[in-house]
Amino acid sequence: MKDKLINCLFYTLLVFLSINLIWSSSKILNNIFTILFLLLSIIIIIYDIKKIKLDKIDIILILLPIFYLIPIIFKKNVNPVSLNIYKVSLEFSITLTLIVLRKHLSKEKVNSLLMTILTSSSISFFISFIYRKYSKSMIVMGINSYFGDTYLNSIDRFYGTLNYCNATALLFCIAIFISLYKINEEKQNRNIYMIFLFINFAGFLYTFSKMLTITFIIVLAVLLIYLLIRKKYINYKIIVLNILALVFPTLLSISAYRNFLINSNLTLFIFKLIILIIIYIALYNIYNYITKKFKYSLSIIFLLTTSIITFTTINPINIPLKINNVTQNNEYIISDFLLEKNKNYKIEFDMTGNDGGVKFELCKLYLDELIPTEAKIKAIDSNKNNIFEFLTDDNFEYYYLKVTNINKNTNITISNLTINNKSYPINTLIVPYQYIHQLDLLKYDKESVESRINYYKDSIKILKNNGFIIGHGVYSFDYYVRKMNVSYLESDPHSYLFQLLLDTGLYGGIYIILFIIIGIYNMLKKVNNNNLIIWFCIFSSCMIVLPFDSIYSILYLKVILMIAFIMICDIDYSD
């Protein structure tokens, strides 16, 4: 009976992880699972009360729900008690579930958990594209997903079903490491896990997340160094060959992704993905064959790949932009420019095909306002020569070119973009130039580094003015920021550390520091345990992002973090 209840609780957790990813903001579903988790966990505890013993890991896990209760007990919560009780119930139900399950996780259950994460992340990837194509039907189903354009420079970022690009990037990052691990572990099903790896790696790139890109590189580098130190050359080779084989097909897939955003042709997008997946698997097998036959070939392939990427970053290939069968938007940004101040410019480009009455506008972006506004410099009739001649402002340097009045009759190709007779890329489809270009735009980005620093400063100000020993309950940052009447509208401080300090007080801050220290200690302690490599990658990825983002307000990723913590600290599933 007990085993059946434990299996029921475990598979309820798997269903929760799958459904919560798709309906991440659904309180109804969260309430249902909260009740199920509590009932099943309590029944199992009662059934096995004599054998249940809490250890230090259980105590650490259970502390956080208790800390969320403290502001309510001392009546310090600034938002309604009902919101705080809801948060405590959710935290407590998940924590209790994981405490019960951690003592019964077998290798088979862990494999099921990993497979659930892989499958659900891949499904969520496609659901976002289906949503863009059939948004009305998906909204009726309660599914929400959108593509954001943070920089207003034609780099539409993949937000996914979690509706936050960094959170989605972390989800894909976790799935990438799981895929790499499973490719190493299960050679018979390698092609299946390679497909998962491609989908999640592509989705990871589509988010254009600088923070998670750095995180991924750091964790991957540490993993490879570990494998070399442990002299696991075969595992090292498999991971390196997969990453190298992934590079070109996934970078090419961004062109398919961008074309989909313009044309919403889902069938064509999926067809291109399938072709690119086949190319990736073929490249892996070719690279694998070469490295077996020729000495130093792995190093040569690595140098060749990085050289090509470096060259295309410095001198991006000029790919024409095709716009046809548009069903979503009636305008699109062709390219953007960082131009010198107070200088004469001539921008030219070619357009072929049936324009359907489109128009082109050259705009400049004012950056001293919360919501950027567009100032039309000059509009050109599409039937005439596409030339812009203008003098840049003496205090302005960021401009962009867009096409408007796009409709179902539009079927055009835009190419040969030049600035003062010098070729310039249509950066809509250029990768990896896109990533380098984003670094140039940091000074214009009011939602990145500068804003995060402001969030942290405001968090410190709130803590100084309102006390930091006892927290102020859930969503306290949002409450105080609205009272401060600042120029940005955020509901969290973009830092899990500051979020805990504000919501739960000093106890929450100590908790997360203790959580990190214990996790790192156990990773170092069990460095020789091969079965914990995957959880090292997951836990480390989360830990790097933890101080700088608020992703753990998203329940799915928080549960994955807690599971990784349990596995690192306690479980050896080598049986």
Side-chain angles (χ1 to χ4, degrees):
M1 180 64 180
K2 185 187 73 172
D3 290 340
K4 290 181 179 179
L5 287 170
I6 289 168
N7 286 333
C8 185
L9 181 61
F10 176 72
Y11 289 110
T12 301
L13 176 64
L14 297 189
V15 173
F16 166 78
L17 288 174
S18 302
I19 291 179
N20 186 264
L21 187 57
I22 299 170
W23 287 279
S24 59
S25 58
S26 173
K27 285 192 174 182
I28 294 174
L29 285 173
N30 283 341
N31 287 337
I32 291 171
F33 280 105
T34 298
I35 294 168
L36 284 174
F37 286 144
L38 284 173
L39 282 175
L40 288 169
S41 298
I42 291 170
I43 291 171
I44 292 169
I45 290 170
I46 292 172
Y47 194 91
D48 206 27
I49 190 67
K50 292 181 180 179
K51 296 181 181 179
I52 295 291
K53 291 182 180 179
L54 293 179
D55 57 23
K56 62 181 180 181
I57 304 303
D58 295 327
I59 292 169
I60 290 169
L61 292 173
I62 207 72
L63 279 177
L64 191 56
I66 294 172
F67 290 155
Y68 273 108
L69 274 174
I70 292 174
I72 304 173
I73 294 169
F74 288 92
K75 297 182 179 180
K76 294 287 186 178
N77 51 291
V78 293
N79 284 309
V81 174
S82 58
L83 282 176
N84 288 269
I85 294 296
Y86 172 76
K87 175 70 174 178
V88 171
S89 301
L90 206 55
E91 291 271 353
F92 185 73
S93 67
I94 293 293
T95 301
L96 200 61
T97 297
L98 295 179
I99 287 173
V100 171
L101 287 177
R102 68 178 279 251
K103 304 179 189 303
H104 303 280
L105 282 176
S106 62
K107 184 175 182 178
E108 289 70 26
K109 282 188 171 63
V110 172
N111 285 333
S112 297
L113 177 62
L114 293 174
M115 195 63 185
T116 298
I117 296 170
L118 273 183
T119 306
S120 57
S121 66
S122 300
I123 290 172
S124 73
F125 171 88
F126 287 107
I127 282 178
S128 293
F129 288 95
I130 295 169
Y131 175 88
R132 186 171 179 89
K133 177 71 175 177
Y134 305 104
S135 55
K136 291 182 180 179
S137 301
M138 301 294 276
I139 289 171
V140 170
M141 295 169 63
I143 298 173
N144 187 29
S145 180
Y146 68 99
F147 298 81
D149 196 356
T150 304
Y151 300 92
L152 289 180
N153 69 333
S154 188
I155 300 177
D156 297 273
R157 307 183 73 184
F158 185 88
Y159 278 62
T161 53
L162 293 176
N163 289 316
Y164 181 31
C165 54
N166 285 348
T168 299
L170 179 59
L171 170 66
F172 288 137
C173 183
I174 290 168
I176 288 168
F177 284 119
I178 293 173
S179 300
L180 288 171
Y181 174 76
K182 298 299 285 184
I183 287 169
N184 270 285
E185 287 289 300
E186 298 187 26
K187 293 178 176 59
Q188 290 182 342
N189 299 316
R190 180 173 289 175
N191 286 344
I192 295 173
Y193 294 112
M194 289 177 77
I195 293 171
F196 281 129
L197 178 59
F198 182 94
I199 292 168
N200 287 287
F201 196 83
F204 180 82
L205 292 180
Y206 300 170
T207 64
F208 290 98
S209 173
K210 295 183 290 293
M211 180 190 301
L212 267 298
T213 299
I214 294 168
T215 298
F216 173 73
I217 292 170
I218 291 171
V219 177
L220 180 64
V222 173
L223 174 61
L224 292 176
I225 291 169
Y226 165 80
L227 291 174
L228 285 176
I229 292 172
R230 301 299 303 166
K231 297 182 179 180
K232 297 182 178 297
Y233 301 120
I234 294 176
N235 303 89
Y236 174 88
K237 178 184 171 183
I238 289 172
I239 291 176
V240 171
L241 285 180
N242 269 283
I243 296 298
L244 290 175
L246 272 173
V247 171
F248 294 118
T250 50
L251 290 181
L252 286 173
S253 79
I254 297 184
S255 294
Y257 161 62
R258 303 311 310 284
N259 277 318
F260 172 80
L261 294 182
I262 302 168
N263 305 320
S264 297
N265 191 329
L266 184 60
T267 304
L268 181 61
F269 172 71
I270 293 174
F271 175 75
K272 288 180 178 179
L273 280 189
I274 293 170
I275 297 298
L276 291 169
I277 288 171
I278 294 170
I279 292 172
Y280 152 57
I281 295 174
L283 277 175
Y284 172 81
N285 287 303
I286 291 169
Y287 290 169
N288 191 35
Y289 176 80
I290 292 172
T291 54
K292 287 179 179 178
K293 293 291 182 180
F294 304 101
K295 196 175 182 180
Y296 306 121
S297 54
L298 182 60
S299 299
I300 294 170
I301 293 169
F302 174 79
L303 289 173
L304 185 63
T305 303
T306 52
S307 298
I308 294 171
I309 292 173
T310 302
F311 177 80
T312 54
T313 300
I314 299 171
N315 303 291
I317 302 167
N318 207 329
I319 303 174
L321 171 63
K322 295 182 180 181
I323 302 177
N324 64 303
N325 301 322
V326 174
T327 58
Q328 294 293 327
N329 302 310
N330 63 1
E331 64 177 44
Y332 198 80
I333 297 173
I334 298 169
S335 199
D336 61 325
F337 323 100
L338 292 170
L339 305 178
E340 293 181 31
K341 300 174 183 178
N342 199 25
K343 181 178 177 179
N344 285 306
Y345 280 94
K346 181 169 74 171
I347 297 176
E348 301 178 77
F349 61 92
D350 295 335
M351 185 201 73
T352 57
N354 180 19
D355 60 25
V358 299
K359 292 184 178 181
F360 299 94
E361 295 180 1
L362 183 64
C363 305
K364 61 182 179 179
L365 189 66
Y366 289 111
L367 302 162
D368 54 352
E369 299 178 20
L370 171 64
I371 302 174
T373 58
E374 299 168 359
K376 184 166 67 175
I377 297 175
K378 187 178 180 182
I380 306 175
D381 191 305
S382 60
N383 294 320
K384 299 179 181 178
N385 293 330
N386 298 308
I387 301 174
F388 289 92
E389 293 181 308
F390 64 102
L391 175 69
T392 53
D393 291 356
D394 58 3
N395 62 349
F396 203 83
E397 54 189 358
Y398 184 30
Y399 299 81
Y400 62 91
L401 178 68
K402 72 176 181 179
V403 54
T404 64
N405 293 348
I406 301 171
N407 55 69
K408 63 182 180 180
N409 296 318
T410 302
N411 191 349
I412 59 174
T413 299
I414 299 168
S415 59
N416 301 326
L417 178 64
T418 63
I419 300 179
N420 287 353
N421 299 317
K422 184 178 179 180
S423 180
Y424 191 88
I426 299 175
N427 67 13
T428 299
L429 302 173
I430 303 302
V431 177
Y433 172 73
Q434 290 278 22
Y435 286 94
I436 302 300
H437 191 54
Q438 285 192 67
L439 297 177
D440 293 334
L441 295 170
L442 275 178
K443 58 184 173 181
Y444 300 107
D445 179 17
K446 296 302 179 182
E447 294 298 324
S448 189
V449 178
E450 183 181 343
S451 289
R452 275 182 168 81
I453 292 172
N454 289 333
Y455 302 150
Y456 306 157
K457 287 179 179 178
D458 285 335
S459 297
I460 293 170
K461 190 184 297 183
I462 292 167
L463 290 167
K464 282 183 177 179
N465 295 338
N466 301 281
F468 62 90
I469 302 299
I470 296 176
H472 306 283
V474 295
Y475 309 120
S476 54
F477 179 83
D478 182 46
Y479 172 85
Y480 285 115
V481 162
R482 282 189 277 107
K483 289 185 69 175
M484 291 163 64
N485 195 28
V486 293
S487 60
Y488 55 83
L489 300 173
E490 289 291 340
S491 59
D492 56 64
H494 279 262
S495 165
Y496 189 55
L497 176 59
F498 279 117
Q499 183 176 310
L500 278 179
L501 285 169
L502 287 163
D503 293 356
T504 65
L506 185 62
Y507 311 104
I510 295 172
Y511 167 82
I512 197 60
I513 292 170
L514 186 67
F515 189 89
I516 293 171
I517 291 172
I518 292 173
I520 293 172
Y521 170 77
N522 280 278
M523 281 195 290
L524 295 174
K525 183 180 175 182
K526 299 189 177 185
V527 70
N528 295 329
N529 191 330
N530 296 328
N531 292 319
L532 293 177
I533 290 176
I534 179 60
W535 300 108
F536 153 77
C537 294
I538 294 173
F539 189 78
S540 300
S541 300
C542 293
M543 287 304 98
I544 294 172
V545 181
L546 196 69
F548 309 109
D549 223 322
S550 56
I551 52 174
Y552 301 104
S553 58
I554 298 172
L555 196 58
Y556 186 97
L557 291 170
K558 185 166 185 176
V559 174
I560 299 301
L561 169 65
M562 292 170 71
I563 292 170
F565 178 75
I566 289 171
M567 300 301 292
I568 285 171
C569 292
D570 191 56
I571 303 296
D572 181 358
Y573 53 93
S574 57
D575 56 294

